[in-house]
Amino acid sequence: VHHIARMEEDRPTQDELVPFLWDVVDGSGNQNDSNLPSRALAIIGASRLLISEVRSTCEAFGSLLYFRPEFCQNRGVILFAYHDMRSARHAAKELNAYLQRLVAPNSNHAQHI
């Protein structure tokens, strides 16, 4: 998973996934060149978001290879990947700002497609 859009209040889920994740910048702020680029992304803390809106927002950045919301209800995680690396990089940079606007008014319910 290349980049993670993080929702601030969902730390337990994020902590559970840390062993499986890496980021484009290491803790010192330096670019981490040892990792290969990826077209896959994850949204952590997605249980407060409407799945249909998240999918359409992700599709706005490019054609999706897959979109896996089945972990959203129990773990608050949505996994997805783009066909094109440029789309994935653009989404990795911009998606978090878009998702912040989609936070559902009732954080206990997410609608699944």
Side-chain angles (χ1 to χ4, degrees):
V1 175
H2 181 49
H3 182 78
I4 298 127
R6 296 181 178 111
M7 306 306 287
E8 293 301 321
E9 299 169 9
D10 293 316
R11 292 290 176 197
T13 303
Q14 182 180 344
D15 292 342
E16 292 172 355
L17 293 174
V18 165
F20 306 100
L21 305 175
W22 58 274
D23 207 341
V24 292
V25 177
D26 64 21
S28 66
N30 297 323
Q31 187 84 13
N32 189 347
D33 294 328
S34 64
N35 294 308
L36 299 174
S38 174
R39 296 175 291 161
L41 288 89
I43 301 170
I44 297 175
S47 59
R48 299 179 311 190
L49 303 172
L50 300 174
I51 299 304
S52 60
E53 291 181 0
V54 172
R55 183 180 188 119
S56 64
T57 301
C58 292
E59 288 173 339
F61 290 98
S63 176
L64 293 173
L65 179 63
Y66 62 81
F67 186 84
R68 305 286 307 267
E70 59 266 21
F71 306 107
C72 186
Q73 187 174 15
N74 294 333
R75 295 290 184 189
V77 176
I78 297 174
L79 304 171
F80 59 101
Y82 290 93
H83 286 279
D84 183 59
M85 181 62 79
R86 292 170 295 180
S87 297
R89 287 181 178 158
H90 182 61
K93 291 178 185 175
E94 303 294 331
L95 190 58
N96 197 36
Y98 284 86
L99 294 176
Q100 293 294 330
R101 296 182 205 133
L102 294 179
V103 175
N106 185 353
S107 63
N108 295 329
H109 297 90
Q111 296 176 358
H112 297 276
I113 52 173

